[in-house]
Amino acid sequence: ITTIRISMIVNARLAAADPGAAENAYCRAAEIAPADASAFFSRLAGALLRAGHSEKAQAAIDRCLALTPDEPLYLMDLGNILICRGKPDAAADAYARAASLNPAAAGGAWYRLGTLLTKEGLHPPATEAFAEAVAAEPGNTRYLLGLAASYAARGLTDLAGETLRRMESENGRVDQQ
């Protein structure tokens, strides 16, 4: 049985409002291909989350992380689920761990968290996440724009303006090179 076929079966089960059967399909796949078990549980978590089963999604990603505890992508998946479950502080902890495991991609992880928190209307923690992204990659225009927009969403126009001026200054230095 192929991974694609298993994914199709799981999606069909979830569409039919049968998360138990979807979970059984991925558990069976993990038995057949134990080396890929983490990936199967991660996919199950994502499918369950999209179907609105955030508690079951967390159980699936917890199983995934029990097998592969130091995979940044799985930790970010956990963070996404925790945001949906109304636990932004725990989500930030999961993202912080992911960022620490892959410092070269830390800015991207923090930016992703900031974007998700912004979509949920959680502006103060989003600002913190964008600030971490900027700290990881100070000259990244996208991260600076995210931080400026986050400040603006909170009515912190002075900080938003300061961040935009910093971005213009960074871009000016790049243009002069």
Side-chain angles (χ1 to χ4, degrees), residues 134 138-139 144 147 161-171:
V134 169
L144 286 163
L147 181 59
E162 181 182 314
T163 304
L164 289 173
R165 284 187 293 281
R166 176 179 169 188
M167 184 188 70
E168 290 170 352
S169 172
E170 294 288 333
N171 281 336

Side-chain angles (χ1 to χ4, degrees), residues 3-40:
T3 302
I4 293 171
R5 184 159 183 234
I6 292 168
S7 294
M8 291 171 54
I9 292 167
V10 168
N11 290 337
R13 297 287 189 192
L14 289 172
D18 191 356
E23 184 176 0
N24 289 340
Y26 268 131
C27 286
R28 179 71 180 123
E31 289 172 9
I32 293 169
D36 296 327
S38 293
F40 289 129

Side-chain angles (χ1 to χ4, degrees), residues 16-79:
D18 191 356
E23 184 176 0
N24 289 340
Y26 268 131
C27 286
R28 179 71 180 123
E31 289 172 9
I32 293 169
D36 296 327
S38 293
F40 289 129
F41 289 123
S42 173
R43 288 183 188 137
L44 174 62
L48 288 166
L49 188 61
R50 285 188 300 279
H53 302 285
S54 61
E55 190 172 316
K56 290 179 183 289
Q58 185 169 348
I61 203 66
D62 287 345
R63 288 181 78 176
C64 171
L65 286 165
L67 297 169
T68 313
D70 293 330
E71 173 53 51
L73 183 59
Y74 299 154
L75 288 162
M76 290 188 293
D77 288 345
L78 172 62

Side-chain angles (χ1 to χ4, degrees), residues 38-138:
S38 293
F40 289 129
F41 289 123
S42 173
R43 288 183 188 137
L44 174 62
L48 288 166
L49 188 61
R50 285 188 300 279
H53 302 285
S54 61
E55 190 172 316
K56 290 179 183 289
Q58 185 169 348
I61 203 66
D62 287 345
R63 288 181 78 176
C64 171
L65 286 165
L67 297 169
T68 313
D70 293 330
E71 173 53 51
L73 183 59
Y74 299 154
L75 288 162
M76 290 188 293
D77 288 345
L78 172 62
N80 299 348
I81 292 164
L82 291 167
I83 289 169
C84 290
R85 297 197 65 208
K87 301 176 181 182
D89 292 338
D93 290 344
Y95 269 84
R97 184 150 176 254
S100 73
L101 289 169
N102 188 359
W110 286 114
Y111 180 80
R112 178 177 168 182
L113 175 62
T115 301
L116 292 169
L117 291 166
T118 298
K119 286 179 184 175
E120 294 296 318
L122 301 169
H123 297 292
T127 301
E128 292 174 23
F130 287 125
E132 290 287 347
V134 169
E137 292 182 45

